[in-house]
């Protein structure tokens, strides 16, 4: 790409903030150089978004930035890791300075907010595709895995579920109305639950972020931990906006299978529930108990005295062809 170096210098050379103080050298040389803090494990993950698959063609740069960044950092939250720095791989069809400016300004805002610096990346020409690789730290052996859930543990979720799917549907169906700005904000600006994760890490036995849908993601915890779950669907946290727009039945279905909410689903031993409540007493993000872990594999619903099994369905790229 002609002007590749100018593009990198202009939009990506000084982006974010190195809160962990570990970045010796960022963008500009052949590699970045990191001085890892003593006695920490490095936790890392990469996320890719493709125009037409993860976001609609023509989406503005700021919206793509917040969605990409939020989804990427959410994986660090799911491991209870403290974000440290990130890299960015960009494939661009053209050098659209309005799009790039909006993208880099929004990315810079979020990177400062979460205390991470952009330390390097790659830039090529092709269909619009973006990858962020995030890196974070945990104390040795303290990363929160999917495999630690035990029978009797309570199952919790943060925030509300189904809003992101609602936000996507309002766009696909070109809906207007009072709830639309909230729902679309939830779609474009997933909020990685880093601070919540660091608060609950001491008590949690397993965690995952909800990217494919609650049932599908909870099922990953269940399979990794070799346990089952009993869920009370009546307890699912659903926003007033989603409920007002589509009613109880549809919002419940989207809460269970919609995906891309980037909320956390985690388990805590019942005996630690009072301590968890105390730790969360002034926390701004809602945390709701939706059921408990059982010894027998599979997911059961329990509501109004009735119990029935459900299939853990969610979004799967190789089954559902297109996301948007
Ligand atoms: P090389 O050819 O040695 O791989 P590049 O020309 O790809 O180097 O990149 C030059 C510098 O710019 C490197 O430090 C690289 O990390 C950085 N860089 C390239 N693209 C991006 C990007 N999209 N965001 C951040 N840094 C980037
Ligand atoms: Mg390169």
């Amino acid at each position: 790409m002609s002007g590749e170096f100018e593009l990198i210098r202009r939009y990506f050379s000084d982006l974010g903030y190195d809160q962990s103080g570990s970045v010796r050298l960022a963008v500009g040389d052949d590699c970045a150089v990191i001085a890892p803090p003593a006695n920490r494990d490095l936790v890392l993950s990469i996320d890719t978004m493709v125009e037409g698959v993860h976001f609609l063609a023509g989406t503005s740069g700021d919206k793509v930035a917040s969605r990409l960044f939020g989804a990427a950092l959410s994986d660090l939250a799911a491991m209870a890791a403290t974000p440290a720095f990130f890299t960015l791989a960009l494939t661009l069809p053209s050098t659209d300075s309005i799009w790039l400016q909006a993208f880099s300004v929004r990315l810079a805002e979020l990177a400062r907010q979460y205390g991470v610096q952009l330390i390097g990346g790659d830039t090529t020409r092709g269909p619009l595709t973006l990858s962020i690789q995030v890196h974070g730290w945990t104390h040795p052996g303290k990363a929160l895995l999917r495999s630690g859930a035990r029978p009797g543990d309570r199952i919790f979720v943060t925030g509300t579920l189904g809003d992101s799917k609602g936000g996507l549907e309002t766009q696909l169906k070109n809906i207007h109305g009072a709830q639309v700005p909230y729902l679309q904000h939830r779609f474009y600006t997933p909020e990685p639950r880093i601070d919540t994760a660091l608060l609950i890490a001491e008590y949690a036995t397993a965690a995952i972020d909800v990217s494919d849908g609650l049932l599908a993601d909870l099922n990953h915890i269940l399979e990794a931990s070799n346990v089952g779950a009993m869920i009370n669907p009546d307890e699912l946290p659903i926003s007033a906006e989603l409920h007002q727009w589509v009613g109880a039945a549809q919002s419940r279905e989207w809460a269970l299978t919609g995906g891309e909410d980037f909320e956390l689903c985690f388990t805590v031993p019942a005996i630690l529930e009072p301590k968890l409540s105390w730790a969360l007493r002034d926390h701004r993000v809602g945390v709701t108990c939706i059921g408990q872990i059982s010894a027998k594999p599979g997911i059961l619903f329990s509501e109004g005295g009735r119990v029935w099994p459900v299939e853990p369905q969610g979004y799967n790229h190789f089954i559902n062809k297109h996301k948007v």
Side-chain angles (χ1 to χ4, degrees), residues 4 121-123:
E4 176 191 335
D122 200 20
T123 306

Side-chain angles (χ1 to χ4, degrees), residues 233-234 236 238 242-256:
D234 218 22
L236 291 169
I238 287 166
L242 186 65
H243 188 273
Q244 281 157 13
W245 181 44
V246 291
Q250 182 66 270
S251 53
R252 176 184 285 195
E253 188 192 322
W254 287 350
L256 289 167

Side-chain angles (χ1 to χ4, degrees), residues 14-23 69 83-86 107-119:
D14 179 22
L15 193 152
Y17 164 60
D18 177 26
Q19 190 163 43
S20 77
S22 56
V23 179
F69 184 88
F85 45 85
F86 68 108
L107 194 63
E109 262 171 33
L110 289 165
R112 289 198 78 81
Q113 184 184 334
Y114 285 88
V116 287
Q117 186 173 350
L118 178 62
I119 60 160

Side-chain angles (χ1 to χ4, degrees), residues 197-274:
L198 297 176
L199 272 176
I200 60 124
E202 203 177 319
Y203 314 103
T205 49
I208 194 166
D209 62 324
V210 179
S211 54
D212 296 331
L214 176 67
L215 286 179
D217 289 312
L218 172 62
N219 197 49
H220 292 314
I221 289 185
L222 303 181
E223 287 186 342
S225 304
N226 196 21
V227 292
M230 172 96 83
I231 299 294
N232 182 349
D234 218 22
E235 300 293 339
L236 291 169
I238 287 166
S239 69
E241 287 86 350
L242 186 65
H243 188 273
Q244 281 157 13
W245 181 44
V246 291
Q250 182 66 270
S251 53
R252 176 184 285 195
E253 188 192 322
W254 287 350
L256 289 167
T257 62
E260 311 235 285
D261 288 311
F262 299 106
E263 296 294 349
L264 296 178
C265 173
F266 62 97
T267 55
V268 173
I271 196 170
L272 295 180
E273 230 184 310

Side-chain angles (χ1 to χ4, degrees), residues 160-167 183 186 237 242 251 254-256 258-259 261:
T160 55
L161 298 174
D163 294 333
S164 179
K165 171 75 173 168
L183 296 172
R186 292 277 289 162
L242 186 65
S251 53
W254 287 350
L256 289 167
D261 288 311

Side-chain angles (χ1 to χ4, degrees), residues 4-5 8 30 121-124:
E4 176 191 335
F5 301 111
I8 296 164
D30 294 307
D122 200 20
T123 306
T124 58

